[in-house]
């Protein structure tokens, strides 16, 4: 998904404050998603939508993922926010008020798996936030999900910081299925997810479809979205 050597991700869940203006929300976010990579600490902006979500803090409709490309992933967001190239002027646009963040966090990459051979273009992702379980259990779980044949890549991330109280683990499974919602909501994928962690593990399942094309970059109260 990333196309660059990433060390982590900046992850944001959000909703449209006024669902009747979702097109304006998306248009503003397209511009912001491109602008936030300009300082050079994040590369690529991916947005996903879960059309079946309730659109509240407990069940957000939208997810944004930015690849972190700094050697120390903990520095990426502070350096981005503090950069003169951070697109703070976009918050003067009234449409920015349509973006209602539900969770914002930085995660460090701890492992990834990919199926051999060629695959199609990314069409969506299966995103899971959890607490509990150990690294070995998570790697086995990721391998089991890939064995369903519905996903071609799996990445695991451990929390660095965020609010409000983000889960310890973020896992992203990438699919090239023509209907990513069917892949992410499949019985096989959910059965594999149920095997991760202990009884205290909290799962958030977000079947999602791609909202913003890949953008690679080298080189309010302005609050983050």
């Amino acid at each position: 998904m990333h196309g660059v050597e990433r060390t982590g991700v900046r992850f944001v869940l959000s909703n449209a404050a006024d669902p009747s203006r979702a097109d304006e929300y998306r248009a503003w976010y397209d511009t912001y998603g491109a602008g936030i990579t300009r300082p050079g600490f994040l590369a690529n902006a991916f947005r996903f939508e879960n059309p079946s979500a309730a659109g509240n803090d407990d069940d957000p409709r939208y997810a944004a993922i930015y690849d972190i490309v700094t050697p120390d992933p903990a520095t990426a967001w502070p350096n981005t926010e503090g950069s003169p190239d951070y697109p703070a002027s976009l918050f003067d646009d009234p449409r920015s008020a349509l973006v209602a963040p539900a969770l914002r966090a930085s995660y460090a990459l701890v492992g990834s798996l990919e199926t051999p051979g060629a695959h199609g273009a990314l069409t969506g992702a299966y995103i899971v936030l959890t607490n509990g379980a150990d690294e070995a259990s998570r790697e086995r779980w990721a391998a089991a999900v890939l064995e369903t044949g519905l996903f071609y890549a799996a990445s695991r991330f451990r929390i660095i910081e965020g609010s409000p109280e983000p889960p310890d683990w973020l896992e992203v499974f990438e699919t090239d299925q023509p209907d990513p919602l069917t892949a992410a909501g499949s019985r096989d994928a959910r059965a594999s997810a149920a095997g991760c962690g202990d009884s205290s593990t909290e799962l958030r399942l977000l079947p999602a479809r791609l909202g913003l094309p890949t953008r690679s970059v080298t080189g309010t109260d302005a609050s983050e979205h």
Side-chain angles (χ1 to χ4, degrees), residues 133-158:
D134 56 41
E135 176 92 16
S137 296
R138 290 180 179 280
E139 186 169 4
R140 289 194 298 270
W141 169 53
V145 173
L146 293 188
E147 285 176 1
T148 66
L150 298 169
F151 305 91
Y152 61 81
S155 300
R156 301 188 310 283
F157 304 90
R158 187 69 184 261

Side-chain angles (χ1 to χ4, degrees), residues 11-15 25 29 48 56-64 99-105 127 129 163 167 204 206 225:
F11 180 71
V12 181
L13 292 172
S14 66
N15 296 296
Y25 161 96
Y29 222 140
F48 302 90
N56 54 41
D57 285 353
D58 293 328
D59 189 17
R61 188 178 180 98
Y62 301 100
V99 182
L103 182 147
R104 296 171 284 192
I127 299 170
L129 291 165
S163 64
R204 180 176 304 205
L206 184 70
H225 291 65

Side-chain angles (χ1 to χ4, degrees), residues 37-48:
T37 62
R38 290 194 188 108
F41 309 107
L42 308 176
N44 303 320
F46 299 90
R47 285 201 299 109
F48 302 90

